[in-house]
Amino acid sequence: MPFLQTKGPLTGKCNICGETKKLTEDHVPPKGVIKMSSVSLSHLATFGQAKNSRDFQQGVKFRSLCKSCNSHLLGSLYDPALVVLCNKVSNYLQTNLALPSTTSFDGQPDLIIRSILGHILALGVLREPNGEFYELAAELVLNPDKLILNDLKVYYWLYPYQHQVSIRGCGITTQMGTPPLFAAVLKFVPLAFMVVYKPNPGYQFPHLNMVDSLAAGNNLIPLDFNKNNLPPRDYPELPDEAGAGAVLHGEDSYVAVLKPKVIKIR
């Protein structure tokens, strides 16, 4: 597995618009959804091998986006909606009060989906959008008025774990002889997102699809959440405990874990 490369050149092709410009660093997950801490980043294939990890002091960053895509689109237009939703969900999970297992919070799914797509595209260095899914994702980020159609599924669920997982693309098979399902994943406290493109109708997921909540404009829409029957921490990036299926990862599949604090004794 090659060395973890997260810093693109000072000037290069943006991972979203594909134009050659000065590149800036994008936080994955974005700033505001979690408290940025010291983390150790590894490729999923070499997770647990210290020599193949890379440390970050203020969260994982990829120098892969131009300033316009990073600051103007993600930072100013899309990310605030994701931050607001994550803060509501975090407060729900952290309260000591007895709360129902199912609830809903108002959110802006159109903006949240575009935020998730933008940060998925930001993964890796010099990964201009090539291929049907990545070209569509880039179009949706670059054009806020472009409709999000049902070819795209954005599944989401509560994620109360510290491991941060970011996957630009992987192939998932549930049984031998079936074609792999393409998926991209972002997971961080308190939410997990799995983006699936043109899935086979035979694939059934037990998760809510945020695309189903879309409405005209950027109005606030109730988004449902359920604390019961949450998937395991390592779903979907690892095969299930029974060994069924397989997951085929590309080069840009990462996991970040919090670094333990070192206490200095004087």
Side-chain angles (χ1 to χ4, degrees):
M1 187 62 61
F3 176 75
L4 279 173
Q5 188 177 8
T6 59
K7 284 192 174 182
L10 294 177
T11 301
K13 288 188 176 182
C14 171
N15 277 21
I16 293 179
C17 67
E19 297 182 17
T20 300
K21 297 180 180 180
K22 182 179 179 181
L23 297 179
T24 61
E25 291 184 329
D26 178 57
H27 283 84
V28 184
K31 291 188 293 184
V33 300
I34 59 172
K35 182 179 179 181
M36 294 297 170
S37 305
S38 297
V39 296
S40 180
L41 179 73
S42 303
H43 191 281
L44 274 169
T46 58
F47 179 52
Q49 302 177 22
K51 65 179 181 179
N52 293 316
S53 64
R54 184 170 182 176
D55 295 340
F56 292 83
Q57 296 303 313
Q58 297 293 326
V60 177
K61 299 180 287 290
F62 288 86
R63 188 160 66 198
S64 60
L65 302 183
C66 69
K67 183 177 181 179
S68 177
C69 290
N70 193 357
S71 300
H72 299 160
L73 287 176
L74 295 184
S76 297
L77 186 56
Y78 302 137
D79 286 352
L82 177 62
V83 171
V84 168
L85 178 64
C86 286
N87 288 338
K88 291 178 180 178
V89 176
S90 291
N91 291 335
Y92 166 71
L93 293 176
Q94 294 173 7
T95 183
N96 292 323
L97 299 177
L99 296 175
S101 58
T102 60
T103 188
S104 65
F105 297 105
D106 288 342
Q108 296 171 285
D110 185 273
L111 299 180
I112 294 169
I113 289 171
R114 295 176 203 269
S115 171
I116 294 300
L117 292 176
H119 292 290
I120 286 172
L121 289 170
L123 296 171
V125 171
L126 297 179
R127 299 281 193 267
E128 58 181 302
N130 289 319
E132 191 175 356
F133 165 73
Y134 299 110
E135 292 171 3
L136 173 62
E139 289 178 10
L140 290 172
V141 174
L142 292 169
N143 184 359
D145 296 322
K146 184 177 177 65
L147 293 179
I148 300 173
L149 301 179
N150 287 330
D151 283 347
L152 198 69
K153 314 292 183 185
V154 182
Y155 297 107
Y156 68 99
W157 60 92
L158 297 175
Y159 182 75
Y161 306 106
Q162 291 297 324
H163 286 195
Q164 301 169 16
V165 177
S166 50
I167 301 172
R168 199 171 192 268
C170 66
I172 301 174
T173 59
T174 57
Q175 59 186 9
M176 296 298 293
T178 59
L181 175 79
F182 174 86
V185 178
L186 280 185
K187 302 195 307 181
F188 49 85
V189 176
L191 293 174
F193 297 89
M194 178 170 64
V195 181
V196 177
Y197 183 57
K198 289 185 176 180
N200 186 305
Y203 283 101
Q204 299 294 328
F205 293 97
H207 321 300
L208 295 168
N209 176 16
M210 192 168 287
V211 175
D212 291 338
S213 300
L214 289 175
N218 294 320
N219 298 323
L220 289 170
I221 304 295
L223 297 172
D224 296 329
F225 294 89
N226 191 333
K227 289 200 300 185
N228 292 333
N229 301 319
L230 295 182
R233 186 195 68 184
D234 297 327
Y235 169 90
E237 62 270 18
L238 295 180
D240 62 34
E241 294 180 355
V247 183
L248 310 174
H249 286 290
E251 185 176 341
D252 298 311
S253 296
Y254 308 97
V255 58
V257 297
L258 294 176
K259 292 188 62 181
K261 293 184 178 180
V262 177
I263 301 176
K264 295 183 179 180
I265 301 176
R266 298 185 179 183

